[in-house]
Amino acid sequence: MTHRRTRMLIAVPSIVLIGVSLVGCGNAVKDAVKNKVEDDLKSQGVDANLDDIENGNIEIDTTDGGVTTGKLPKTFPTDDVAIVDGKILGGQYTKNPATWTVVIQVGDAGGDKAGAYSTAEEKLTGGGAETVTEKVDNGTAITGQYATDTYLVTLAVTDSNGVDVSYTVSPK
């Protein structure tokens, strides 16, 4: 594991703890702490956006990639990969090799996992993707692979704390 990835793995939990500790603090204190953390991370080559940390939204970029909560990862190819509507829990991307992963919650625990998969599959195929690997339901997850002109997409739907649709996208 590279030092930059190690820094990112250390930075994410630290940032979450800072966000939790700021609950109840005045805006001036929150802003000062967020700015200090962002500046300290930047000095280590990590670009962090903590402006919306109170709502659980974080964006961290390094030279190797990045992670997000509450929104799609940076440069996610939305023009080529049609995704479902729902609450974006988090995402990540790497630059070399280029890969994006995003998890979107589309229902409550115990919801319709098969229906969620069908909806996600219809979005992909309706957007021009072709089936590469037919879906498989192993009881824990329903998975399959799809290809657009440019990308290979692995689709997975699980139901543990909610019905989550996961996309892993990489260039062909």
Side-chain angles (χ1 to χ4, degrees):
M1 184 179 297
T2 67
H3 292 293
R4 289 184 182 104
R5 287 189 181 149
T6 302
R7 286 183 195 136
M8 188 166 48
L9 291 174
I10 292 169
V12 172
S14 300
I15 291 167
V16 171
L17 287 173
I18 291 167
V20 170
S21 68
L22 292 177
V23 174
C25 292
N27 285 337
V29 173
K30 288 179 188 178
D31 291 343
V33 171
K34 286 190 289 190
N35 291 339
K36 175 68 172 144
V37 171
E38 288 175 348
D39 290 344
D40 287 348
L41 290 171
K42 190 168 212 81
S43 72
Q44 298 179 40
V46 177
D47 185 24
N49 179 347
L50 309 177
D51 291 340
D52 197 21
I53 195 169
E54 293 87 3
N55 293 319
N57 297 328
I58 300 168
E59 184 175 351
I60 299 172
D61 291 310
T62 70
T63 55
D64 296 328
V67 295
T68 61
T69 60
K71 63 182 180 177
L72 290 173
K74 193 176 209 176
T75 69
F76 187 89
T78 54
D79 291 343
D80 296 310
V81 179
I83 60 173
V84 295
D85 293 327
K87 178 182 178 185
I88 299 172
L89 299 178
Q92 67 179 18
Y93 73 97
T94 59
K95 293 180 181 176
N96 188 19
T99 306
W100 300 265
T101 303
V102 66
V103 179
I104 303 170
Q105 188 171 61
V106 297
D108 295 329
D112 185 6
K113 184 170 58 173
Y117 189 92
S118 293
T119 299
E121 180 180 45
E122 288 170 11
K123 283 272 222 180
L124 285 169
T125 57
E130 296 183 10
T131 303
V132 174
T133 305
E134 293 291 330
K135 73 177 179 181
V136 174
D137 186 346
N138 67 11
T140 303
I142 305 172
T143 60
Q145 285 191 321
Y146 302 85
T148 69
D149 290 339
T150 312
Y151 297 101
L152 180 64
V153 180
T154 300
L155 177 65
V157 177
T158 59
D159 179 15
S160 55
N161 292 325
V163 177
D164 296 336
V165 178
S166 300
Y167 296 85
T168 302
V169 181
S170 58
K172 284 178 154 177

mmCIF file of all heavy atoms in Angstrom, residues 6 28 30 34-35 43 54 65-67 73 75 78 83 92 96 100 104 108 114 123 126 131 133 135 155 163 166-167:
data_model
loop_
_atom_site.group_PDB
_atom_site.id
_atom_site.type_symbol
_atom_site.label_atom_id
_atom_site.label_comp_id
_atom_site.label_asym_id
_atom_site.label_seq_id
_atom_site.Cartn_x
_atom_site.Cartn_y
_atom_site.Cartn_z
ATOM 1 N N THR A 6 -2.292 5.087 2.465
ATOM 2 C CA THR A 6 -2.282 4.964 3.925
ATOM 3 C C THR A 6 -2.768 6.252 4.556
ATOM 4 O O THR A 6 -3.574 6.234 5.481
ATOM 5 C CB THR A 6 -0.859 4.626 4.429
ATOM 6 O OG1 THR A 6 -0.443 3.415 3.805
ATOM 7 C CG2 THR A 6 -0.840 4.475 5.933
ATOM 8 N N ALA A 28 -17.963 29.457 14.421
ATOM 9 C CA ALA A 28 -16.581 29.925 14.316
ATOM 10 C C ALA A 28 -15.603 28.811 14.680
ATOM 11 O O ALA A 28 -14.579 28.628 14.007
ATOM 12 C CB ALA A 28 -16.364 31.139 15.210
ATOM 13 N N LYS A 30 -16.249 25.508 14.564
ATOM 14 C CA LYS A 30 -16.359 24.488 13.518
ATOM 15 C C LYS A 30 -15.538 24.879 12.298
ATOM 16 O O LYS A 30 -14.786 24.069 11.762
ATOM 17 C CB LYS A 30 -17.817 24.294 13.095
ATOM 18 C CG LYS A 30 -18.669 23.602 14.100
ATOM 19 C CD LYS A 30 -20.099 23.494 13.572
ATOM 20 C CE LYS A 30 -21.035 22.988 14.628
ATOM 21 N NZ LYS A 30 -22.423 22.925 14.158
ATOM 22 N N LYS A 34 -12.351 22.836 10.836
ATOM 23 C CA LYS A 34 -12.400 22.310 9.462
ATOM 24 C C LYS A 34 -11.267 22.880 8.623
ATOM 25 O O LYS A 34 -10.592 22.143 7.906
ATOM 26 C CB LYS A 34 -13.752 22.621 8.806
ATOM 27 C CG LYS A 34 -14.882 21.765 9.318
ATOM 28 C CD LYS A 34 -16.137 21.925 8.501
ATOM 29 C CE LYS A 34 -16.756 23.274 8.738
ATOM 30 N NZ LYS A 34 -18.096 23.410 8.165
ATOM 31 N N ASN A 35 -11.044 24.173 8.723
ATOM 32 C CA ASN A 35 -9.975 24.807 7.945
ATOM 33 C C ASN A 35 -8.607 24.262 8.335
ATOM 34 O O ASN A 35 -7.751 24.030 7.485
ATOM 35 C CB ASN A 35 -10.018 26.325 8.084
ATOM 36 C CG ASN A 35 -11.231 26.926 7.417
ATOM 37 O OD1 ASN A 35 -11.840 26.325 6.535
ATOM 38 N ND2 ASN A 35 -11.618 28.117 7.850
ATOM 39 N N SER A 43 -1.129 19.847 3.242
ATOM 40 C CA SER A 43 0.326 19.832 3.368
ATOM 41 C C SER A 43 0.896 18.429 3.170
ATOM 42 O O SER A 43 2.085 18.271 2.919
ATOM 43 C CB SER A 43 0.757 20.399 4.723
ATOM 44 O OG SER A 43 0.455 19.493 5.762
ATOM 45 N N GLU A 54 -21.159 18.302 8.573
ATOM 46 C CA GLU A 54 -22.258 18.160 9.532
ATOM 47 C C GLU A 54 -23.369 17.277 8.980
ATOM 48 O O GLU A 54 -24.088 16.619 9.717
ATOM 49 C CB GLU A 54 -22.846 19.530 9.921
ATOM 50 C CG GLU A 54 -21.895 20.401 10.708
ATOM 51 C CD GLU A 54 -20.993 21.242 9.804
ATOM 52 O OE1 GLU A 54 -21.126 21.196 8.556
ATOM 53 O OE2 GLU A 54 -20.129 21.946 10.345
ATOM 54 N N GLY A 65 -6.307 9.006 -6.149
ATOM 55 C CA GLY A 65 -7.748 8.845 -6.243
ATOM 56 C C GLY A 65 -8.432 9.594 -5.129
ATOM 57 O O GLY A 65 -7.908 10.585 -4.626
ATOM 58 N N GLY A 66 -9.592 9.103 -4.721
ATOM 59 C CA GLY A 66 -10.299 9.790 -3.660
ATOM 60 C C GLY A 66 -11.525 9.041 -3.189
ATOM 61 O O GLY A 66 -11.897 8.001 -3.733
ATOM 62 N N VAL A 67 -12.153 9.596 -2.156
ATOM 63 C CA VAL A 67 -13.373 9.042 -1.588
ATOM 64 C C VAL A 67 -14.370 10.163 -1.352
ATOM 65 O O VAL A 67 -13.994 11.316 -1.182
ATOM 66 C CB VAL A 67 -13.115 8.288 -0.257
ATOM 67 C CG1 VAL A 67 -12.256 7.067 -0.468
ATOM 68 C CG2 VAL A 67 -12.502 9.194 0.787
ATOM 69 N N PRO A 73 -18.424 9.849 -6.769
ATOM 70 C CA PRO A 73 -16.995 10.132 -6.772
ATOM 71 C C PRO A 73 -16.627 11.031 -7.953
ATOM 72 O O PRO A 73 -17.316 11.042 -8.978
ATOM 73 C CB PRO A 73 -16.338 8.760 -6.899
ATOM 74 C CG PRO A 73 -17.397 7.818 -7.284
ATOM 75 C CD PRO A 73 -18.719 8.440 -6.972
ATOM 76 N N THR A 75 -15.349 12.636 -11.178
ATOM 77 C CA THR A 75 -15.268 12.196 -12.584
ATOM 78 C C THR A 75 -16.052 10.913 -12.886
ATOM 79 O O THR A 75 -15.810 10.272 -13.901
ATOM 80 C CB THR A 75 -13.803 12.040 -13.067
ATOM 81 O OG1 THR A 75 -13.177 10.926 -12.400
ATOM 82 C CG2 THR A 75 -12.995 13.317 -12.864
ATOM 83 N N THR A 78 -21.120 9.588 -15.562
ATOM 84 C CA THR A 78 -22.585 9.554 -15.600
ATOM 85 C C THR A 78 -23.141 9.641 -17.020
ATOM 86 O O THR A 78 -24.258 9.191 -17.257
ATOM 87 C CB THR A 78 -23.189 10.696 -14.760
ATOM 88 O OG1 THR A 78 -22.624 11.934 -15.191
ATOM 89 C CG2 THR A 78 -22.927 10.487 -13.288
ATOM 90 N N ILE A 83 -27.301 5.424 -13.707
ATOM 91 C CA ILE A 83 -27.437 4.902 -12.349
ATOM 92 C C ILE A 83 -28.849 5.162 -11.811
ATOM 93 O O ILE A 83 -29.565 6.009 -12.313
ATOM 94 C CB ILE A 83 -26.385 5.509 -11.404
ATOM 95 C CG1 ILE A 83 -26.525 7.028 -11.330
ATOM 96 C CG2 ILE A 83 -24.979 5.109 -11.840
ATOM 97 C CD1 ILE A 83 -25.643 7.679 -10.287
ATOM 98 N N GLN A 92 -15.805 5.954 -4.346
ATOM 99 C CA GLN A 92 -14.359 6.107 -4.408
ATOM 100 C C GLN A 92 -13.925 6.004 -5.848
ATOM 101 O O GLN A 92 -14.654 5.484 -6.693
ATOM 102 C CB GLN A 92 -13.647 5.061 -3.563
ATOM 103 C CG GLN A 92 -13.804 3.649 -4.085
ATOM 104 C CD GLN A 92 -13.067 2.644 -3.224
ATOM 105 O OE1 GLN A 92 -12.721 2.913 -2.087
ATOM 106 N NE2 GLN A 92 -12.811 1.483 -3.759
ATOM 107 N N ASN A 96 -5.164 5.164 -11.387
ATOM 108 C CA ASN A 96 -4.385 4.206 -12.156
ATOM 109 C C ASN A 96 -4.374 2.870 -11.440
ATOM 110 O O ASN A 96 -3.648 2.715 -10.466
ATOM 111 C CB ASN A 96 -2.957 4.725 -12.333
ATOM 112 C CG ASN A 96 -2.155 3.881 -13.289
ATOM 113 O OD1 ASN A 96 -2.703 3.138 -14.081
ATOM 114 N ND2 ASN A 96 -0.841 4.005 -13.197
ATOM 115 N N TRP A 100 -14.121 3.459 -10.664
ATOM 116 C CA TRP A 100 -15.052 4.177 -9.794
ATOM 117 C C TRP A 100 -15.955 3.160 -9.121
ATOM 118 O O TRP A 100 -16.384 2.183 -9.729
ATOM 119 C CB TRP A 100 -15.932 5.131 -10.593
ATOM 120 C CG TRP A 100 -15.201 6.177 -11.339
ATOM 121 C CD1 TRP A 100 -14.939 7.460 -10.931
ATOM 122 C CD2 TRP A 100 -14.640 6.068 -12.642
ATOM 123 N NE1 TRP A 100 -14.255 8.141 -11.894
ATOM 124 C CE2 TRP A 100 -14.059 7.303 -12.964
ATOM 125 C CE3 TRP A 100 -14.563 5.035 -13.591
ATOM 126 C CZ2 TRP A 100 -13.409 7.541 -14.161
ATOM 127 C CZ3 TRP A 100 -13.914 5.264 -14.787
ATOM 128 C CH2 TRP A 100 -13.346 6.513 -15.059
ATOM 129 N N ILE A 104 -25.435 3.225 -3.641
ATOM 130 C CA ILE A 104 -26.645 4.040 -3.564
ATOM 131 C C ILE A 104 -27.723 3.248 -2.823
ATOM 132 O O ILE A 104 -28.070 2.136 -3.231
ATOM 133 C CB ILE A 104 -27.145 4.423 -4.971
ATOM 134 C CG1 ILE A 104 -26.046 5.155 -5.734
ATOM 135 C CG2 ILE A 104 -28.428 5.242 -4.891
ATOM 136 C CD1 ILE A 104 -26.341 5.357 -7.210
ATOM 137 N N ASP A 108 -35.378 0.522 2.216
ATOM 138 C CA ASP A 108 -35.149 0.129 3.608
ATOM 139 C C ASP A 108 -34.763 -1.341 3.695
ATOM 140 O O ASP A 108 -35.032 -2.126 2.774
ATOM 141 C CB ASP A 108 -36.406 0.372 4.443
ATOM 142 C CG ASP A 108 -36.763 1.843 4.542
ATOM 143 O OD1 ASP A 108 -35.837 2.681 4.520
ATOM 144 O OD2 ASP A 108 -37.972 2.163 4.630
ATOM 145 N N ALA A 114 -34.601 -7.859 -5.452
ATOM 146 C CA ALA A 114 -34.730 -8.259 -6.866
ATOM 147 C C ALA A 114 -35.302 -7.118 -7.703
ATOM 148 O O ALA A 114 -34.854 -6.872 -8.834
ATOM 149 C CB ALA A 114 -35.600 -9.501 -6.984
ATOM 150 N N LYS A 123 -31.993 0.549 -16.178
ATOM 151 C CA LYS A 123 -31.322 1.835 -16.402
ATOM 152 C C LYS A 123 -30.083 1.641 -17.269
ATOM 153 O O LYS A 123 -29.834 2.411 -18.196
ATOM 154 C CB LYS A 123 -30.905 2.480 -15.079
ATOM 155 C CG LYS A 123 -32.020 3.119 -14.322
ATOM 156 C CD LYS A 123 -32.181 4.534 -14.785
ATOM 157 C CE LYS A 123 -32.423 5.446 -13.609
ATOM 158 N NZ LYS A 123 -32.588 6.816 -14.005
ATOM 159 N N GLY A 126 -31.164 0.280 -20.800
ATOM 160 C CA GLY A 126 -31.888 1.361 -21.468
ATOM 161 C C GLY A 126 -30.952 2.482 -21.909
ATOM 162 O O GLY A 126 -31.239 3.218 -22.859
ATOM 163 N N THR A 131 -25.536 -6.782 -21.696
ATOM 164 C CA THR A 131 -25.245 -7.758 -20.653
ATOM 165 C C THR A 131 -23.999 -8.548 -21.023
ATOM 166 O O THR A 131 -23.917 -9.101 -22.110
ATOM 167 C CB THR A 131 -26.437 -8.715 -20.452
ATOM 168 O OG1 THR A 131 -27.603 -7.952 -20.130
ATOM 169 C CG2 THR A 131 -26.160 -9.714 -19.345
ATOM 170 N N THR A 133 -22.393 -10.584 -18.267
ATOM 171 C CA THR A 133 -22.607 -11.739 -17.400
ATOM 172 C C THR A 133 -24.018 -11.635 -16.843
ATOM 173 O O THR A 133 -24.368 -10.631 -16.222
ATOM 174 C CB THR A 133 -21.596 -11.746 -16.232
ATOM 175 O OG1 THR A 133 -20.282 -11.690 -16.754
ATOM 176 C CG2 THR A 133 -21.753 -12.985 -15.379
ATOM 177 N N LYS A 135 -27.265 -12.068 -14.478
ATOM 178 C CA LYS A 135 -27.341 -11.887 -13.028
ATOM 179 C C LYS A 135 -27.322 -13.228 -12.303
ATOM 180 O O LYS A 135 -27.824 -14.238 -12.809
ATOM 181 C CB LYS A 135 -28.558 -11.073 -12.642
ATOM 182 C CG LYS A 135 -29.876 -11.794 -12.755
ATOM 183 C CD LYS A 135 -31.006 -10.906 -12.278
ATOM 184 C CE LYS A 135 -32.333 -11.629 -12.418
ATOM 185 N NZ LYS A 135 -33.443 -10.798 -11.991
ATOM 186 N N LEU A 155 -22.488 -4.684 -11.425
ATOM 187 C CA LEU A 155 -23.648 -4.241 -10.661
ATOM 188 C C LEU A 155 -23.900 -5.245 -9.547
ATOM 189 O O LEU A 155 -23.863 -6.459 -9.781
ATOM 190 C CB LEU A 155 -24.863 -4.158 -11.589
ATOM 191 C CG LEU A 155 -26.202 -3.771 -10.989
ATOM 192 C CD1 LEU A 155 -26.153 -2.341 -10.474
ATOM 193 C CD2 LEU A 155 -27.299 -3.914 -12.038
ATOM 194 N N VAL A 163 -31.575 -1.626 1.179
ATOM 195 C CA VAL A 163 -31.318 -2.152 -0.150
ATOM 196 C C VAL A 163 -30.342 -1.196 -0.830
ATOM 197 O O VAL A 163 -30.658 -0.032 -1.060
ATOM 198 C CB VAL A 163 -32.619 -2.302 -0.966
ATOM 199 C CG1 VAL A 163 -32.316 -2.795 -2.375
ATOM 200 C CG2 VAL A 163 -33.582 -3.252 -0.257
ATOM 201 N N SER A 166 -24.771 -1.188 -5.844
ATOM 202 C CA SER A 166 -23.349 -0.831 -5.981
ATOM 203 C C SER A 166 -22.936 -0.958 -7.437
ATOM 204 O O SER A 166 -23.274 -1.937 -8.106
ATOM 205 C CB SER A 166 -22.482 -1.777 -5.155
ATOM 206 O OG SER A 166 -22.816 -1.709 -3.803
ATOM 207 N N TYR A 167 -22.199 0.044 -7.883
ATOM 208 C CA TYR A 167 -21.640 0.047 -9.234
ATOM 209 C C TYR A 167 -20.123 0.088 -9.109
ATOM 210 O O TYR A 167 -19.589 0.926 -8.386
ATOM 211 C CB TYR A 167 -22.064 1.283 -10.010
ATOM 212 C CG TYR A 167 -23.541 1.398 -10.270
ATOM 213 C CD1 TYR A 167 -24.383 1.964 -9.309
ATOM 214 C CD2 TYR A 167 -24.094 0.995 -11.478
ATOM 215 C CE1 TYR A 167 -25.745 2.096 -9.544
ATOM 216 C CE2 TYR A 167 -25.445 1.126 -11.724
ATOM 217 C CZ TYR A 167 -26.268 1.676 -10.750
ATOM 218 O OH TYR A 167 -27.611 1.797 -11.001
#
